[in-house]
Amino acid sequence: MSFTSYTLIAAYFLSALGFASVSLVDGIEPWFVAMTAFAAVWSLYFNVKKKTLISSGLWNVLAVMVFVLFLADFLLISRTLIVSASRFLTVLLALKLFDLKTGRDHFIAFGIVFFQILAAAASTVSPAFFVILALFIAASIFVLMIFTMKKDWEAGRKAGAQGDVPRGIFDAGFFAWIAVVTVFSLAGALALFFILPRMGAGFFERKTLNTVKVTGFSDRVNLDSIGPVKNDGTIVMRVELPPLEGVHPPEGVQQKRQAQGGFYFRGAALDFYDGKIWSRELRGNRILARTVIGPVSHFSLEGAEPPQGGHPLGAATGETVEQNILLEPLETDILFAASHPVEIAGKFSYLSFDDGRAVYLPSTPYSRVEYKVWSVPGPLAAPRPEDEKYTDTSYLTNEAARARIAALTAEVIRGQVTDFDKAIAIEKFLRKNFAYTLNPKKEAGIDPVDAFLFFSKEGYCAHFASSMAVMLRLSGVPSRIVTGFLQGEWNSLGGYFIVRQMDAHSWVEAYARQNGVGAWHTFDPTPSAGTEPPPRPPEFMLYLDFIRWKWNRYIINFTFSDQRKLAQTLESRTAGLTAWLKNALREKPKISAEGAPLVLAALLLAAACYLYMKKALGKGTLKQKTPRFYLDLLGILEKKGYVKKAFETPMEFAARVEPFQRVAIHRVTDITELFQKERYGGAAINKAEAEKVKRMLEGLKKGLPPAP
Amino acid sequence: MNIRLVTSAPFPWLNAITGIIYGKKAAKAGAQGETPYDGKRRLRLSRSIAVTREGKWFIGVLFLVGVAAINTGNNLLYLIVAAMLSFIIISGVLSESAMNGIKVQRQLPGRIFKGRPIRIRYKIKNNKKHLPSYSFSITELPLTSPGLKADPAYVLKLKARGETVKTAQCVFERRGMFALGGVRISTRFPFGLFLKGKKGPAEAAGARPLHGVEPLQVVVYPAIKPVLSAHLKAISRNVCSSDRELMALAKGGGTQLRSMRDYVSGEDARFIYWKSAAKRQKLLVKEFEKETERKVMVLFDNYSAKDEDPAFEEIVDEAAGVINHFIERGFSVGLKTLTGEASPAPGSAQLYTLLKILALMTPVKGSQGARLQVVYL
């Protein structure tokens, strides 16, 4: 294949990467990418046929026009620099592909693709970016190499240097070599990525724009509209559970949690129901107290005083569960955590809470939020709320409906004495007698709870939870609806739960005394069909999600504190190693039978390293290259007082020593000649010559008189 | 272990910067009388690095992306910065690998004249066991004094353990003795961002051969300027003022035919011109010019007011032309200058002896100016 073909292939490969990277930019429509990519494919025809559609002069004019369009786009249409710039670059690239004649044109196309990748970096958080970057690095290595070689080749040939580089230069070995270089380059890039200090003190510091707006969750529950959410597989958050002590393998963590009833990731508690929508009655939120101040602050809910007019938050007791949560940017400022959070740590300027124990961010986040939570899953001990809002059923204006529901409730709780037992009875009743469906039959003009309990007898979580809350309130038990997410899918690769939009759920918290302690208890009246996870994406998606999780954790959200941790880990490991070595040197080594092969292997490795280094470093030194026998000769002569001077050549030295030999045998000259043959002639002496040298050296030892 | 070599491969910039800073410091220390030479020598870089135009663009973009990464705190921009830095490191390692293990044998033509282009022949061998070397050039190391203009010899690819022969044009722009130190291998490979080479004038003077090329001393003869007969007349002195008149001088036992005359009995039969004997029915004998009388001495008053005097060099070239002129015509030519003398002798060996004297001749200070004369002996 000719050089021109290689450059053309490289140009189109790079362009494909450019289009792919632009498709990652939030706000670039797929049709735009498809259209420009089609133009690029069309240009291939002209380049293969070596025809010109756009001359260089025309390209310059078009570039100016596209730039004007970019300004108009930025100022009037998109108003986002990244989006407008991405469009500008993409159109420019498509046009450039119609004008690929000189090396300069190829360089311009290469530069445009680089800037497209930059634009994608500023906009996306997708792991696909890394794939594009890796391919771009590989292609860049190849392109830059061949362009450099072509340029040097032309310069080397001087006159009339338009010829093609000879064939056979880019063989299989060359491409294998490029692959190796790419791997090293990527490894180097990653190493540098982790080392480069994260200053983060810029004027325009801002996290990557959010690309996922999740709309399923809200701090209101509308009984008529939540259904579609349950079919949405969009990921809402990932919750990593650090391994439990003594629980191996890590899957055991999930099994244990499952045995405990699974997690309920709590969002907001809703106390007011107007007959169709549950909502939170407005109360002034209070700021959570910071217990640790730093880049990562800790906020505690324990002992937090309730907002003005609210009732005490209650205290959770029991085993603490630690969670690392990566929350996608939702259209809410609520922070999710497993019931019931007691401490939260993250890079927040402040957090606030309400008397329903919901925790709020300072504002709706622009990007993913990473934080750590410690929760206590048990009931929330608190004094009985004096506020009547938790037993309010004033919305039931229809007396017939009220009477029907009250009668049903009385029927269900008959014989139950305590509030807790009443709640259990209602939960069981709903679970047993009602069906779960995402498309319940709707009865126009009837209260949704009334319709659910007496007409359709089917519904989704919001219907079950609302019905239970209303029934509890009618029986005098304080209750509230809680919205949030079920635990979702366990990813055993990374040891975390994938919580999706379809895991959105609502359940009931009822205040009841049990064992003499008044507390908010969690009840979930939705039958298991509702709480069981709906059909999940295929298995391999777990692998992809694992990659996404790690990508987010270690690339997108890699921070200065991570670098500090990394440095501390390194320091402690190194210190540990040094201490171990010191101890090993101080104490008498006691090598056990198990340790012996290890020590032997280490010694062998050290010896191999030493020999290799000696060989590598000894290259070129006189001692290494001078044959042993000549060094012996010099040694013998030196002992006799004949020292070779620095300015003397070996033969001059031999000629100086020769006259002192008693017999007319030119031993020194002969040995010197053999030395020169081996040292400079590259021919080692043979066995017979070696024997002769040995004899001559012996003869010199005995026969040569000392220097006068 | 050569630390400079190790640092220069992955961190050429670090090496270059430290070299510049500490090199200056060492030079300052030298000026103050503290280890004047050793400090500089120790800190001298083993590699020379120059940033190409593309490299400047690359560094500029790297700087801008770096600023953007710091300002935005965007980790993907940090990743791009890291990839670009990695490119620089890889570039350093690969360029080092391209230059390492290259051995060069150099061959120059036997006789070199000032201003006349010659081709240097390089036999280049890649001693690396597994890695080929791509895209590198071989040039003569710059000399301590100017006067050598050498093109590079370019090698596109040299296989592992492979060998190739390349030639490069070279012009010596002045006469005299040139000490060629060695060769310099330079490369823009792999990305064209930096021009890296093994340095330089210092090694040229050292005893250690660079890339296997031994230091070499070559004598560059002056240019042989064509001689105009009018000019030759003007500078000639003695009885005769032209070649023709000179040839009328005397007969002798030389090799050049002078004339023919009738045969006199008893003369050597070897000189009989037998062809004319058949034609003219009488014997003629050939007479030869007297060899010893075809002798000239070129007198060169090598005065000059300046060390570098183009007019003086012109006269040196003229002298070379005159000597060549007479040697070509079978004269015995001698040369006498203010600093030396060579007795007249014929033949090309004498030509190069005299040209070497002219090549190495230095002007004697004097305001009289240089003068060239030809004396027929």
Side-chain angles (χ1 to χ4, degrees), chain A residues 227-233 436 438 486-489 498 500-505 528-538:
Chain A
V229 171
K230 300 296 282 184
N231 290 322
D232 190 346
Y436 183 89
L438 289 174
L486 292 171
Q487 66 185 18
E489 188 179 10
I498 304 168
R500 292 189 166 85
Q501 189 79 306
M502 61 172 65
D503 297 314
H505 194 52
S528 56
T531 53
E532 280 288 312
R536 298 280 167 185

Side-chain angles (χ1 to χ4, degrees), chain B residues 30-316:
Chain B
Q32 289 164 358
E34 307 160 10
T35 57
Y37 180 65
D38 286 338
K40 273 182 92 174
R41 188 185 175 89
R42 192 174 62 248
L43 293 162
R44 190 166 48 224
L45 300 175
S46 60
R47 301 284 180 276
S48 64
I49 296 161
V51 188
T52 62
R53 198 180 61 171
E54 292 85 358
K56 283 175 188 161
W57 273 101
F58 186 86
I59 292 166
V61 172
L62 171 62
F63 178 75
L64 289 178
V65 180
V67 170
I70 292 167
N71 261 334
T72 58
N74 184 332
N75 272 337
L76 293 186
L77 290 180
Y78 272 105
L79 191 62
I80 290 176
V81 170
M84 291 177 85
L85 287 172
S86 166
F87 252 55
I88 292 179
I89 295 171
I90 288 285
S91 168
V93 174
L94 293 186
S95 58
E96 194 63 38
S97 130
M99 293 193 297
N100 271 351
I102 298 295
K103 295 285 169 205
V104 184
Q105 284 181 346
R106 175 179 52 200
Q107 215 176 23
L108 271 87
R111 291 180 184 114
I112 303 166
F113 292 89
K114 183 182 107 179
R116 192 186 293 176
I118 55 161
R119 292 202 80 83
I120 305 181
R121 188 171 178 270
Y122 296 107
K123 193 174 172 190
I124 308 153
K125 193 176 178 190
N126 180 6
N127 282 339
K128 290 192 286 291
K129 283 181 188 168
H130 307 293
L131 286 178
S133 281
Y134 289 99
S135 195
F136 63 91
S137 299
I138 291 166
T139 37
E140 288 298 319
L141 276 173
L143 305 173
T144 43
S145 56
L148 172 65
K149 208 169 159 185
D151 285 342
Y154 177 72
V155 181
L156 184 62
K157 183 186 178 182
L158 191 54
K159 285 179 185 170
R161 295 183 179 281
E163 202 174 279
T164 186
V165 173
K166 297 279 168 186
T167 60
Q169 185 169 287
C170 163
V171 178
F172 288 89
E173 291 173 322
R174 61 176 176 84
R175 65 183 172 87
M177 180 72 81
F178 283 78
L180 301 180
V183 293
R184 170 201 185 93
I185 297 187
S186 57
T187 183
R188 299 193 321 128
F189 189 77
F191 306 134
L193 306 178
F194 307 103
L195 177 65
K196 195 170 180 182
K198 292 204 176 184
K199 205 177 173 182
E203 284 85 349
R208 192 160 54 94
L210 194 67
H211 307 302
V213 176
E214 298 284 350
L216 184 70
Q217 287 204 325
V218 291
V219 174
V220 176
Y221 300 127
I224 293 177
K225 200 174 170 184
V227 178
L228 300 171
S229 51
H231 180 64
L232 192 62
K233 250 185 221 173
I235 61 170
S236 296
R237 158 160 88 82
N238 209 335
V239 276
C240 300
S241 59
S242 74
D243 291 358
R244 192 178 291 275
E245 283 173 85
L246 186 80
M247 285 172 75
L249 271 175
K251 60 185 178 188
T255 52
Q256 295 284 323
L257 185 69
R258 181 173 171 272
S259 61
M260 291 207 213
R261 62 169 171 80
D262 291 340
Y263 174 73
V264 179
S265 181
E267 278 185 317
D268 195 337
R270 286 182 299 165
F271 300 115
I272 296 172
Y273 187 53
W274 293 107
K275 277 185 185 173
S276 73
K279 219 183 272 179
R280 300 190 186 185
Q281 300 294 316
K282 62 172 182 178
L283 293 174
L284 291 175
V285 286
K286 291 182 277 188
E287 276 188 339
F288 294 92
E289 286 177 1
K290 192 178 173 183
E291 191 85 339
T292 51
E293 286 166 355
R294 290 166 48 79
K295 194 186 281 183
V296 292
M297 186 62 119
V298 178
L299 304 178
F300 191 176
D301 298 339
N302 50 326
Y303 283 117
S304 176
K306 294 180 276 182
D307 284 338
E308 300 281 329
D309 187 0
F312 179 81
E313 293 302 321
E314 277 281 307
I315 297 172
V316 175

Side-chain angles (χ1 to χ4, degrees), chain A residues 114 121-122 124 144-145 148-149 151-153 165 171 174 185 189 193 198 202-206 551 555-556 558, chain B residues 54 61 71-72 74-76 78-79 82-83 85-87 94 131 134-135 154 156-157 188-192:
Chain A
F114 175 77
T124 187
L144 290 175
M145 271 185 190
T148 304
M149 287 163 83
K151 199 173 173 183
D152 290 348
W153 160 256
V165 171
D171 52 9
F174 180 78
S185 185
F193 172 79
R198 298 300 193 275
F203 295 108
F204 310 106
E205 187 173 5
R206 193 176 120 179
W551 168 259
I555 303 289
I556 300 293
F558 190 73
Chain B
E54 292 85 358
V61 172
N71 261 334
T72 58
N74 184 332
N75 272 337
L76 293 186
Y78 272 105
L79 191 62
L85 287 172
S86 166
F87 252 55
L94 293 186
L131 286 178
Y134 289 99
S135 195
Y154 177 72
L156 184 62
K157 183 186 178 182
R188 299 193 321 128
F189 189 77
F191 306 134

Side-chain angles (χ1 to χ4, degrees), chain A residues 113-181:
Chain A
V113 174
F114 175 77
F115 283 104
Q116 281 178 314
I117 286 176
L118 265 187
S123 174
T124 187
V125 289
S126 167
F129 176 82
F130 186 74
V131 178
I132 290 172
L133 185 67
L135 291 172
F136 179 74
I137 287 174
S140 303
I141 287 171
F142 177 64
V143 165
L144 290 175
M145 271 185 190
I146 58 173
F147 274 112
T148 304
M149 287 163 83
K150 171 106 193 290
K151 199 173 173 183
D152 290 348
W153 160 256
E154 287 173 356
R157 288 187 64 197
K158 290 264 177 185
Q162 291 304 311
D164 218 349
V165 171
R167 285 159 193 261
I169 295 292
F170 308 123
D171 52 9
F174 180 78
F175 287 106
W177 188 60
I178 282 192
V180 172
V181 171

